[in-house]
Amino acid sequence: MSDHLLALEAFSGRQLQALIDRAIELKGESKAGKRQQQLAGKTVCLLFDKPSTRTRVSFESATYGLDGKVIFMSSKDSQLGRGEPLKDTARVLARYVDGIVVRTFGQEIVEELARYSGVPVINALTDLHHPCQILSDMMTVIEHKGALAPLKVVWIGDGNNMANSWIEAASVLGFSLTLACPEGFDPDGEILKRAQERADKPIVLVRDPAEAIADADVVNVDVWASMGQEEEQEARAKLFAPYQLDKRLLAGAKGDAIVLHCLPAHREEEITEEVLEGPQSVVFDQAENKMHIHKAILEHFVG
């Protein structure tokens, strides 16, 4: 297994499944009140260019829950915001901490940090990938639906970093994935091509959300304008309107299909209040599982 977690395609299905299985075990231990000390004596640096609620708190809670310590730094608190070379930042931080969790813009930033860091670098989000989030999403699916392989997973909306990581996950773990994106808002073409060449099950891109959602076991949506795209919000709202997950569209999925959303959700935009708060929604289980999957990731890469 790689020393760093930058993107899911670098791992085998067995390796990703082991992380998910371990997260489920750690969740059970936590619920049972078992003390977890796998990061005792370890320090993790959270280096965030982008603001965050769930990602920051879940990584901090996971670190403290494993008896580790956390140093949080935003870009304005570090030399990243003042032009220090990334290779210098990586080599210095690696002498102070045992792992670096990065939430930033370009994928090239985490890749360069990993290239020069003497400690593990974990991608907590870039504009291209969101691997930790997808691992927690798949953990949630397994808890509710069992094994991933027999399932049809559907992505509806923008072909963003989440979509890219779902594509990689499908190719590695061997489940069917259908994406419905408006023209001009497709996932990364190279990621899609590599995944389709590697995949055992279909990974399909269509335009019609009703076509995509037919007989789905898992339905996943996200905001229409990601962080840094706020000025596009109004234009995207008009273009993406047919992709809203409402009760009518959801009716095309299987009756026991589950709904995922990584949050924050814009109610009555990409998803209606009725669906988000409805019986098929598992979004708050999904949000909790970020902390448990982060424990498994930190235990493996840092502990």
Side-chain angles (χ1 to χ4, degrees):
M1 187 180 285
S2 171
D3 293 334
H4 309 283
L5 176 52
L6 307 183
L8 297 180
E9 68 177 349
F11 301 89
S12 69
R14 180 176 296 180
Q15 290 168 336
L16 295 185
Q17 186 65 54
L19 283 173
I20 295 168
D21 292 344
R22 181 58 178 150
I24 293 171
E25 291 177 359
L26 289 167
K27 182 177 180 178
E29 291 178 2
S30 180
K31 299 290 186 185
K34 181 177 179 179
R35 188 175 183 186
Q36 298 165 332
Q37 297 179 284
Q38 292 90 321
L39 291 187
K42 303 283 188 179
T43 301
V44 176
C45 177
L46 305 187
L47 189 59
F48 280 28
D49 270 337
K50 291 187 174 186
S52 168
T53 300
R54 279 154 293 276
T55 300
R56 175 180 175 177
V57 174
S58 58
F59 262 113
E60 289 194 357
S61 294
T63 305
Y64 289 130
L66 295 177
D67 207 24
K69 295 180 174 61
V70 175
I71 298 171
F72 176 82
M73 297 180 68
S74 68
S75 57
K76 70 177 185 294
D77 299 321
S78 75
Q79 294 299 325
L80 281 180
R82 300 179 178 89
E84 180 179 52
L86 289 169
K87 61 185 179 181
D88 292 359
T89 297
R91 288 179 289 190
V92 170
L93 287 180
R95 305 220 177 180
Y96 299 151
V97 300
D98 302 287
I100 305 170
V101 178
V102 186
R103 180 179 170 93
T104 188
F105 293 90
Q107 181 70 14
E108 70 279 1
I109 295 174
V110 294
E111 290 176 355
E112 185 165 359
L113 287 169
R115 189 175 304 119
Y116 289 96
S117 173
V119 299
V121 173
I122 296 166
N123 178 2
L125 175 141
T126 65
D127 290 344
L128 192 63
H129 294 289
H130 203 349
C132 298
Q133 178 66 57
I134 303 309
L135 285 168
S136 67
D137 295 354
M138 291 190 295
M139 174 184 172
T140 308
V141 172
I142 288 170
E143 285 184 328
H144 286 270
K145 305 294 289 183
L148 277 159
L151 303 179
K152 177 183 177 181
V153 178
V154 171
W155 175 270
I156 296 175
D158 188 22
N160 59 15
N161 52 2
M162 291 277 293
N164 291 334
S165 288
W166 268 112
I167 289 167
E168 291 190 343
S171 73
V172 174
L173 284 163
F175 56 87
S176 170
L177 176 66
T178 301
L179 305 102
C181 306
E183 189 170 357
F185 295 88
D186 292 350
D188 182 86
E190 286 300 315
I191 290 173
L192 180 59
K193 180 181 177 182
R194 288 197 304 269
Q196 288 172 328
E197 291 172 350
R198 178 180 184 174
D200 295 326
K201 300 278 182 69
I203 301 175
V204 181
L205 174 63
V206 301
R207 300 297 175 209
D208 183 0
E211 176 187 351
I213 206 171
D215 297 320
D217 298 288
V218 180
V219 183
N220 205 329
V221 298
D222 194 9
V223 296
W224 290 338
S226 298
M227 197 175 300
Q229 299 171 334
E230 289 81 4
E231 73 281 357
E232 302 175 24
Q233 177 66 38
E234 186 175 346
R236 284 176 176 244
K238 295 177 183 177
L239 184 64
F240 281 81
Y243 293 79
Q244 182 187 76
L245 184 60
D246 57 15
K247 187 176 181 180
R248 175 196 57 79
L249 182 59
L250 184 58
K254 290 181 180 177
D256 62 348
I258 59 172
V259 173
L260 300 176
H261 192 309
C262 66
L263 302 177
H266 296 167
R267 289 164 167 82
E268 310 310 323
E269 289 187 12
E270 73 274 3
I271 190 168
T272 62
E273 175 86 8
E274 182 178 29
V275 172
L276 185 66
E277 299 290 353
Q280 291 171 266
S281 171
V282 296
V283 299
F284 295 104
D285 292 342
Q286 180 186 359
E288 177 189 343
N289 283 340
K290 286 172 68 73
M291 178 180 65
H292 303 298
I293 200 73
H294 292 167
K295 280 187 177 182
I297 290 166
L298 291 167
E299 177 189 61
H300 177 85
F301 288 94
V302 179

